[in-house]
DNA sequence: TATTGTTATACTCTATAACTATA
DNA sequence: TATAGTTATAGAGTATAACAATA
């Protein structure tokens, strides 16, 4: 084998990010904003506090994202029926259609990726990835919560090193 | 199976990012800066133009990153021996040591992840991931270069949808 | 004239802290 | 008093465009 196992995983993560960035280029959408739309699609109309929790960002950040998505016509702020401090953020009909399409394409991507793998390798692949995810989750959790000695580290996208310099 | 194959891959990518963010929290380092250090470690002293190409960002961006890394003592700007317009950016001794340690830990992480997978599943896992990476690379390339009809899309971290809202 | 790096400007994502309006 | 959302401020990453010094 030529490439480290962990580097292959990092490479795949990187390719996903490129694919996303490319898909939204030229629109008002960004990966972060689409993430919020995605959350909204699954949670239904929600307060900004709820969205902040689900997206794991600060409420202040949600304000900005919702501002942008409201300007671009993807979401709407409506008054909360019982709490006059709060607002409900909800998808517009256009955005609902967009997200439904996106979810379909997501399923298609899933199918096309699976097809790229030899059928007899698929079970082991799924088992292996599950094991890796579990292991990683334990690592991150251990380091984050348990005030552990912070075992470093994963270098960001260490892909393609051996390119020569130009000095 | 409960979770989509593609979602498992996205989840793993997300966990890697969390691990990184956590590892550098509280230092002057960030994932982007470490990426630049990583590139420097493999390319050796390089001009900022070269770094811009290798990191796939604009030269202007490299100026800012090198400024920050120079302030924190990780890199040094030295005059280019033959071209007085250019500078060579190189790692300080401290940073060299840091990066060597990071590379070791990277190898250790690779080993610990492999150990988490049943030995009989490893060959299929590696074959499967290679196939997935190849497929993804073709998708991204096709869409990026060949002015293709831009097949969308991968939603960003669609993990954990079924959390109820708070309206 | 073309290239290297920088200044100038701007936008997105992110965070903390202080403030307003409501519970 | 506590909560929901906002304003104010700040820093990181990113980009384009204009400009300097040098090839």
């Amino acid at each position: 084998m030529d490439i480290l196992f962990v580097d292959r995983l990092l490479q795949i993560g990187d390719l996903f990010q490129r694919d996303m960035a490319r898909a939204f280029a030229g629109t008002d959408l960004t990966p972060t904003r689409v993430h919020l739309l995605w959350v909204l699609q699954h949670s239904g109309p929600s307060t900004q506090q709820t969205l902040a929790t689900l997206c794991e960002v600060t409420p202040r950040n949600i304000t900005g994202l919702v501002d942008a998505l409201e300007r671009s016509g993807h979401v709407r702020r409506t008054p909360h029926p019982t709490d006059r401090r709060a607002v409900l953020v909800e998808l517009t009909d256009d955005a609902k259609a967009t997200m439904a399409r996106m979810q379909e394409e997501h399923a298609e991507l899933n199918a096309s990726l699976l097809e790229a793998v030899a059928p007899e390798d698929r079970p082991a692949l799924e088992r292996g990835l599950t094991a890796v995810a579990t292991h990683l989750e334990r690592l991150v959790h251990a380091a984050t919560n348990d005030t552990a000695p912070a075992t470093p580290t994963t270098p960001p996208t260490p892909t393609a090193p051996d390119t020569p310099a130009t000095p």
Side-chain angles (χ1 to χ4, degrees), chain A:
Chain A
M1 108 203 47
D2 206 3
I3 177 176
L4 238 45
F5 172 59
V6 64
D7 286 341
R8 182 112 274 161
L9 289 171
L10 289 168
Q11 180 199 10
I12 290 172
D14 191 56
L15 285 169
F16 276 125
Q17 286 183 225
R18 283 168 197 265
D19 183 54
M20 270 188 308
R22 171 194 62 68
F24 310 136
T27 75
D28 333 43
L29 291 180
T30 64
T32 308
R33 290 175 193 174
V34 173
H35 183 203
L36 181 47
L37 294 180
W38 191 267
V39 166
L40 266 175
Q41 192 199 22
H42 287 93
S43 67
S46 312
T47 66
Q48 297 190 181
Q49 287 291 335
T50 302
L51 295 175
T53 304
L54 293 176
C55 293
E56 300 182 79
V57 296
T58 59
R60 175 60 184 91
N61 206 338
I62 295 293
T63 298
L65 294 171
V66 171
D67 283 351
L69 287 168
E70 205 172 34
R71 272 195 302 272
S72 58
H74 290 94
V75 306
R76 200 184 305 123
R77 275 189 248 238
T78 64
H80 191 289
T82 68
D83 188 339
R84 288 198 307 178
R85 294 170 304 178
V87 299
L88 287 182
V89 182
E90 61 184 23
L91 294 176
T92 61
D93 289 348
D94 269 13
K96 273 183 200 160
T98 303
M99 294 315 290
R101 218 178 328 117
M102 197 177 292
Q103 188 125 19
E104 272 172 39
E105 283 153 1
H106 185 61
E108 285 165 20
L109 176 62
N110 185 68
S112 93
L113 284 181
L114 267 179
E115 269 169 35
V117 177
E120 65 272 21
D121 285 348
R122 290 174 197 163
L125 178 56
E126 302 228 23
R127 277 196 304 273
L129 288 181
T130 304
V132 165
T134 306
H135 187 78
L136 266 178
E137 217 149 41
R138 246 190 301 121
L139 278 187
V140 173
H141 246 83
T144 306
N145 296 344
D146 312 346
T147 47
T151 315
T153 187
T154 307
T157 317
T159 345
D162 315 296
T163 326
T166 321

